[in-house]
Amino acid sequence: MNLTLGEILAAALAPDPSSIEAALEERAQYCAGVELSRQIAPLLRESEERTFDALTCVPDSELAMLRSPEGWAVLASLVAADLGVPNFTYQPTRH
């Protein structure tokens, strides 16, 4: 099979579908983290930046919790504990 230079370049430059999916997942995770930080910051009497910074200290293995309301509640408690707010309870609104 003889390929033209254009076909070779097109194949080399074509995005890998799995890398696109991974990038979208990473972006969704980031957006969820920003939204969680935005929602809990006033409840913790902290800035959104400080709550997001505390959220970035959560181990990567626990970031899958950003996919569910229950996970958001757990992550909010972890962030609160990191910021020195004891007995913090957060239940996100389900839509």
Side-chain angles (χ1 to χ4, degrees):
M1 171 184 225
N2 292 332
L3 297 175
T4 66
L5 180 57
E7 290 170 331
I8 294 170
L9 286 173
L13 297 175
D16 177 15
S18 63
S19 67
I20 293 171
E21 186 176 315
L24 289 174
E25 175 66 27
E26 186 177 304
R27 179 69 180 161
Q29 192 176 56
Y30 171 79
C31 290
V34 168
E35 182 60 23
L36 175 59
S37 298
R38 188 188 68 74
Q39 288 184 23
I40 65 173
L43 303 172
L44 295 172
R45 295 192 171 111
E46 291 288 349
S47 69
E48 291 176 25
E49 293 82 12
R50 188 144 187 241
T51 57
F52 185 79
D53 284 346
L55 185 59
T56 63
C57 294
V58 172
D60 288 345
S61 61
E62 295 180 10
L63 291 178
M65 289 191 277
L66 286 168
R67 295 182 184 149
S68 71
E70 295 80 11
W72 278 39
V74 171
L75 290 170
S77 295
L78 292 172
V79 168
D82 188 47
L83 296 174
V85 179
N87 304 322
F88 180 74
T89 302
Y90 170 74
Q91 290 299 320
T93 304
R94 290 181 177 210
H95 296 283

